[in-house]
Amino acid sequence: MGPGEVIVADDYHTAGEPCRVVDLGPMRGNSVLDRRSWAMENLDDHRRFLCHEPRGHADMYCGFVVPPDDGDGDLGVVFCHKDGFSTACGHGTIAIVTWAIDTGLIATEGDSVEVLVDVPSGRLHTVARLVDGRVASVRFRNVPSYVTATGLEVSTPLGPV
């Protein structure tokens, strides 16, 4: 960051968990995963600036708003925190969806709205519940998980597990 440079951020909390929402402009890549890789190489100074003291703290998370992977998605997000860049964040997803509705990026009508959010680990199907036009809650279906190995033994100081 140089003199006169400004970053605009919106701070959200999900049950006390912080998420700083930032639009740093275009990032290279064809997917959110590609943009995460680009951000890791080019925006680590911004990550430290936003997440470390005195502007951040040990529990600070940031979400860099990016385009979705394709025309079916509503928005994308590259998550970062004090130690680096992550592939997903539950409380950050809730904050980003709330932010997108609060700022008018996502139009709302009725008492709920579906929002498709692309994160580096995949597409999240979210539903925001609205009360009097404001977000009351957000739920989401995480990316599928799967078992890659079974029957493994791990050595620990207390013996094998």
Side-chain angles (χ1 to χ4, degrees), residues 22-155:
V22 183
D23 184 349
L24 292 178
M27 293 184 198
R28 291 198 180 125
N30 294 320
S31 68
V32 176
L33 182 59
D34 292 345
R35 291 179 186 104
R36 175 185 179 260
S37 295
W38 185 88
M40 290 170 70
E41 294 178 15
N42 295 279
L43 296 178
D44 198 55
D45 54 340
H46 289 77
R47 177 194 63 80
R48 288 190 314 273
F49 181 83
L50 291 162
C51 292
H52 289 189
E53 297 281 353
R55 289 157 294 278
H57 51 78
D59 296 321
M60 180 58 70
Y61 241 84
C62 283
F64 298 153
V65 179
V66 297
D69 287 350
D70 57 43
D72 293 334
D74 293 306
L75 71 146
V77 60
V78 172
F79 289 113
C80 66
H81 48 79
K82 71 173 184 67
D83 296 319
F85 290 82
S86 62
T87 55
C89 177
H91 81 273
T93 298
I94 294 167
I96 289 285
V97 169
T98 304
W99 170 86
I101 292 168
D102 284 352
T103 61
L105 179 66
I106 302 296
T108 61
E109 203 173 288
D111 58 1
S112 70
V113 61
E114 293 184 27
V115 183
L116 298 178
V117 181
D118 289 328
V119 300
S121 59
R123 178 160 284 167
L124 304 175
H125 296 262
T126 75
V127 177
R129 186 175 60 84
L130 307 170
V131 174
D132 297 328
R134 296 197 40 109
V135 176
S137 65
V138 176
R139 71 179 193 273
F140 65 93
R141 181 180 309 244
N142 212 335
V143 297
S145 62
Y146 53 91
V147 176
T148 59
T150 61
L152 300 177
E153 186 173 294
V154 177
S155 299

